[in-house]
Amino acid sequence: MTSAHPAPLADASLARPGRAPVTTHGELSHIALTMFLERGFDETTVNEIAQEAGIGRRTFFRYFSSKNELPWGDFGSLLDNMRVRLSETDPAQPLADALRSAIISFNTFPEEERDTHRKRMWLLLNVPSLTAYSTLKYESWRRVIAEFIGARRGESPDSLTPQSIAWACLGLCLAAYERWLADDDSDLLLLLDSAFASAASTFSSQAS
């Protein structure tokens, strides 16, 4: 899943032998992820990533605003899709069901992307400089949840209930991801579904 970007004006002089210059947002992200895992995130520079991808530094920044953005891939586009999905939810659908369905959809990736997504999440949850940056991304994710809940309840997204539920949803997701990364044989979507189901049964009541 990649967002639409204009084809870059690659600098052929920088292209690595045997590799054509990258032409997609997703391809550049994949190259960077591999380099981060091999060399370390902090040890890998933007110039090195651009050179490996066969593009110039200026072209790199047409795709990503910073090195910290690379592991997040198409997060912005996926978040927009979740916002639209929630806005189109049947008002009669229970709030908990609507959230669980939208969040599972948000975390659904093609099978061929499974290994890449696992590597991405390992970096985001284990590299200190990335975990600090992740707070900004988590805030925007929670905002989408809080806005939906606030609209459902006729409250401000900044009110206690929308914010509390948004934080709880994030916690459930992170718990599922931690478990997924710890067990190669586990299924991420089943873990997410189980996390939300267990929370619902544990608290036995839900906001409406």
Side-chain angles (χ1 to χ4, degrees), residues 184-201:
D184 289 343
D185 295 325
S186 60
D187 184 297
L188 174 60
L189 300 185
L190 289 178
L191 288 170
L192 287 165
D193 189 61
S194 295
F196 278 83
S198 64
S201 62

Side-chain angles (χ1 to χ4, degrees), residues 19-206:
R19 182 194 292 280
V22 303
T23 57
T24 70
H25 183 271
E27 187 179 4
L28 181 56
S29 179
H30 284 194
I31 289 172
L33 285 173
T34 298
M35 295 178 71
F36 294 155
L37 290 165
E38 290 177 350
R39 308 180 186 186
F41 177 79
D42 294 322
E43 291 74 19
T44 306
T45 68
V46 167
N47 286 343
E48 289 170 340
I49 296 167
Q51 183 174 14
E52 182 72 12
I55 60 176
R57 181 181 175 90
R58 290 177 63 184
T59 300
F60 172 93
F61 286 112
R62 294 178 190 172
Y63 286 111
F64 293 96
S65 61
S66 71
K67 187 175 76 169
N68 286 341
E69 284 285 334
L70 279 161
W72 288 92
D74 282 334
F75 179 80
S77 297
L78 295 173
L79 199 58
D80 288 340
N81 291 340
M82 185 168 75
R83 180 182 287 108
V84 171
R85 182 186 178 96
L86 286 169
S87 70
E88 295 175 347
T89 298
D90 183 348
Q93 184 178 23
L95 180 60
D97 292 345
L99 288 171
R100 177 161 48 169
S101 176
I103 290 170
I104 288 177
S105 176
F106 176 85
N107 288 283
T108 300
F109 295 85
E111 181 58 31
E112 61 269 22
E113 287 288 312
R114 180 181 182 275
D115 288 343
T116 298
H117 189 51
R118 183 183 287 275
K119 294 173 183 176
R120 173 185 294 115
M121 293 307 301
W122 186 91
L123 287 167
L124 293 176
L125 293 175
N126 289 280
V127 176
S129 51
L130 281 173
T131 56
Y133 186 76
S134 295
T135 60
L136 300 175
K137 297 297 186 180
Y138 294 152
E139 181 181 3
S140 61
W141 188 90
R142 295 196 320 271
R143 187 70 187 178
V144 171
I145 300 295
E147 287 174 351
F148 169 69
I149 297 167
R152 267 288 188 99
R153 293 173 55 87
E155 300 175 3
S156 165
D158 297 319
S159 298
L160 180 60
T161 296
Q163 286 295 316
S164 297
I165 296 175
W167 274 101
C169 288
L170 177 62
L172 292 170
C173 288
L174 291 177
Y177 266 104
E178 290 279 8
R179 186 60 194 158
W180 183 54
L181 293 175
D183 182 357
D184 289 343
D185 295 325
S186 60
D187 184 297
L188 174 60
L189 300 185
L190 289 178
L191 288 170
L192 287 165
D193 189 61
S194 295
F196 278 83
S198 64
S201 62
T202 297
F203 291 104
S204 73
S205 62
Q206 61 188 40

